[in-house]
Amino acid sequence: MSGLDTLIEGVLLGGVYALFALGLSLIFGIMRLVNLAHGDLILLAAYLVLSATTALGVPLVASTLLVVVVMFVLGFLLQRLVLERVLGDDILPPLLVTFGLSIVIQNGLLLTYGADSRRIQASAFESMSIAIAPGVSVGLAPLLALLTAIVAVALMQLIFYQTSLGRAFRATADNPQIAQLMGIDERSVYAIAVGLSLAVSVVAAITFGIRANFDPSIGPARLLYAFEAVIIGGMGSLWGTLAGGIVLGLAQAIGARINPEWQILAGHLAFLAVLMVRPRGLFPSGRP
């Protein structure tokens, strides 16, 4: 059953990576923006939830909902006050600004929380498992992460293709100038997109914070996994992002089974292999 264990572990890990990548894929599909601070913003959300649950004593579910609202507002203001000033045909200014934002967040978290690793406590939920076959059981937390990733992608697809906001997203992604002529406020659409991206990142933060310890320095590593999942799946494709996360998770699980030291390397090799065979990813799309 070791082979089955490896596959299950890889798929569950892929669900976590898909949650990391979903917000990144979302704003790239709409704004063509690669947010280099994405991993640090996920980490910021994790620390905010940690503060709400420990310092304020708010239950985890209520803390999550509160931080979702906070991160949406933060994303909206970030776009209006910072990113809007640097968006344009040149991709370098947004990259430099988000890189600088990454450094600011890392140092701010270090000053506020220190360098010690932390973890979000979920009491008995952390150790609960479900038997799916004789001798095979899966942890409830990683299973819920995978199901949450699937539901999140489905909801995003529903928003994009069944609502007026989604039509505004798609029109702006296709041609911002024509969208403005049709009465769509490009500034508001972009601000909502960034806010939605950061709101989704809270789910990734909770999932990661329950599974493993975190400290202020690990944001760039989360960005790397998210970026690889997006590229593997295809830039701008939300379902492709989910598939890319699972491919990355499977590669790491198989690598760890061969040799624990190969886990991270195996994921990078899978990323490189997909780029060599399909440079635009497995499911390329011009928009979500």
Side-chain angles (χ1 to χ4, degrees):
M1 299 293 286
S2 61
L4 179 59
D5 288 344
T6 302
L7 291 178
I8 293 173
E9 180 184 352
V11 172
L12 295 178
L13 181 59
V16 178
Y17 288 155
L19 285 174
F20 286 161
L22 187 56
L24 191 67
S25 178
L26 174 66
I27 61 171
F28 176 81
I30 297 173
M31 302 168 58
R32 300 300 185 267
L33 170 68
V34 178
N35 181 10
L36 296 183
H38 182 71
D40 299 285
L41 288 165
I42 292 176
L43 200 57
L44 173 62
Y47 273 107
L48 290 177
V49 172
L50 179 67
S51 295
T53 54
T54 56
L56 302 180
V58 181
L60 181 59
V61 174
S63 298
T64 301
L65 295 176
L66 175 63
V67 175
V68 164
V69 175
V70 170
M71 293 301 287
F72 178 86
V73 173
L74 176 62
F76 192 96
L77 294 176
L78 177 64
Q79 166 59 26
R80 280 295 182 90
L81 300 178
V82 180
L83 298 178
E84 185 177 288
R85 303 174 185 273
V86 295
L87 287 177
D89 295 332
D90 188 354
I91 65 171
L92 186 58
L95 288 177
L96 293 176
V97 167
T98 54
F99 177 69
L101 180 62
S102 170
I103 296 174
V104 169
I105 293 174
Q106 285 183 51
N107 284 274
L109 292 176
L110 184 62
L111 288 173
T112 305
Y113 295 96
D116 294 338
S117 62
R118 309 292 182 93
R119 189 166 185 168
I120 297 175
Q121 299 298 323
S123 62
F125 179 72
E126 301 176 27
S127 57
M128 294 176 65
S129 62
I130 299 176
I132 60 173
V136 179
S137 61
V138 298
L140 187 58
L143 178 61
L144 186 60
L146 175 63
L147 296 177
T148 302
I150 295 171
V151 171
V153 172
L155 286 176
M156 295 306 301
Q157 289 288 122
L158 182 65
I159 290 173
F160 271 97
Y161 293 103
Q162 301 296 329
T163 67
S164 57
L165 176 61
R167 288 190 288 274
F169 280 156
R170 288 183 283 124
T172 305
D174 284 341
N175 195 312
Q177 290 75 29
I178 294 180
Q180 283 185 305
L181 292 176
M182 300 300 294
I184 296 174
D185 184 359
E186 177 187 350
R187 297 173 66 241
S188 295
V189 169
Y190 283 168
I192 293 172
V194 177
L196 196 56
S197 169
L198 297 197
V200 171
S201 74
V202 178
V203 182
I206 296 294
T207 304
F208 173 70
I210 291 175
R211 284 173 58 99
N213 293 340
F214 54 90
D215 63 71
S217 67
I218 65 170
R222 306 286 81 79
L223 170 66
L224 179 60
Y225 297 146
F227 188 70
E228 288 183 343
V230 171
I231 297 298
I232 290 173
M235 296 289 275
S237 170
L238 297 179
W239 285 114
T241 297
L242 176 61
I246 291 175
V247 169
L248 185 61
L250 284 171
Q252 290 192 358
I254 293 171
R257 177 68 64 176
I258 297 172
N259 187 327
E261 297 180 354
W262 294 1
Q263 178 178 357
I264 305 302
L265 176 61
H268 298 331
L269 290 176
F271 168 67
L272 180 60
V274 170
L275 280 183
M276 292 175 63
V277 177
R278 294 182 64 87
R280 297 184 62 224
L282 300 176
F283 306 100
S285 174
R287 64 185 182 212

